[in-house]
Amino acid sequence: MKPNTSIFRKIAGAAACLSMTAAALGVSALAPAAPAVAAPASGQLDAAVAALRGISTMTADFIQTDRNGSTVKGKLTLKRPGRIRFQYEPSARMLIVGDGHALTFVDYDVKQVQRWPIKNSPLGALLDPGRDVSKYGRLVPTGSANVTSIEVRDRSHPEYGIITLIFTRNEAAPGGLELSYWVALDSQNQRTTIQLANQRYGAAVPDSTFRWTDPRPNIRR
């Protein structure tokens, strides 16, 4: 099942300005196609993949941004493999939860629930254990030794979308690289940026964190 386009618009429309985020980190989130990756770049890609796989659990504050500059804040909880929760600020009246198999978008305003396979989303690069980031990723030049940018796309499945993962050097993070933000472009060309702050790693996260209350009448989860 593919996500409803209007729902993606609400997700994207809920979110700080992409160009400001990129400028703050000294990179371009939408960089032009890179030339063939040399051996040192391959090493950077391997290091970023190792850092990503080194995250067992992570919590962080986030700001979600769309291309129009609209923003919404919230709390991110990640537990590999496959689990994620975007707990939005109360005014947003929405929730996104990944349970290891599917992503669920809950819109409490209209009491609507949509689910789609993790692999069909750009977030599959973060959450799908079967997605080989090193196979589908390429290094995007940033001009900074302290910033690594990886664009992940499966060209045989353009409907999965594209995600660009941005890491900054931080010795306290797994593998010495910290996931700072990402830019996701879905199959409907809806762009969403997630900027992270106050990342914490390795804390115990119960599976109950990834449960959700169904707002539809007479249905509870």
Side-chain angles (χ1 to χ4, degrees):
M1 176 180 178
K2 291 184 180 180
N4 186 289
T5 302
S6 65
I7 286 180
F8 262 119
R9 284 174 180 163
K10 181 170 183 180
I11 296 171
C17 176
L18 173 61
S19 60
M20 290 174 60
T21 303
L25 290 171
V27 300
S28 171
L30 298 177
V37 177
S42 178
Q44 284 183 272
L45 176 59
D46 291 343
V49 171
L52 194 61
R53 291 176 176 169
I55 300 173
S56 57
T57 67
M58 181 180 74
T59 60
D61 300 323
F62 73 83
I63 299 176
Q64 180 173 299
T65 307
D66 74 355
R67 58 187 175 187
N68 297 318
S70 300
T71 65
V72 65
K73 298 179 181 180
K75 183 79 171 183
L76 169 72
T77 304
L78 173 68
K79 183 177 183 179
R80 288 173 58 85
R83 295 177 174 87
I84 198 166
R85 183 183 183 97
F86 294 90
Q87 183 67 57
Y88 290 89
E89 57 189 333
S91 62
R93 301 280 296 158
M94 61 183 179
L95 174 71
I96 297 177
V97 178
D99 62 5
H101 304 286
L103 287 171
T104 301
F105 174 72
V106 185
D107 187 332
Y108 290 104
D109 276 336
V110 298
K111 296 181 173 58
Q112 185 176 8
V113 175
Q114 290 282 320
R115 286 170 61 82
W116 60 93
I118 285 174
K119 69 178 183 179
N120 288 7
S121 160
L123 282 177
L126 276 175
L127 302 175
D128 182 4
R131 185 77 65 89
D132 187 347
V133 175
S134 61
K135 179 179 179 181
Y136 298 110
R138 72 174 182 92
L139 196 73
V140 178
T142 67
S144 171
N146 294 319
V147 179
T148 299
S149 175
I150 306 295
E151 180 193 271
V152 183
R153 70 164 77 189
D154 184 344
R155 295 186 183 277
S156 63
H157 291 281
E159 71 275 15
Y160 292 174
I162 305 168
I163 189 168
T164 302
L165 307 170
I166 309 297
F167 299 82
T168 54
R169 192 163 300 283
N170 183 345
E171 296 305 320
L177 291 173
E178 184 160 78
L179 181 61
S180 298
Y181 79 94
W182 67 80
V183 181
L185 187 69
D186 69 30
S187 58
Q188 285 81 36
N189 289 318
Q190 299 296 319
R191 184 189 304 136
T192 305
T193 302
I194 300 289
Q195 183 179 5
L196 304 179
N198 302 318
Q199 294 92 323
R200 294 179 175 84
Y201 304 95
V205 175
D207 289 346
S208 60
T209 302
F210 308 98
R211 296 174 185 163
W212 48 277
T213 301
D214 198 314
R216 294 170 294 185
N218 304 318
I219 299 176
R220 291 292 180 268
R221 181 177 175 86

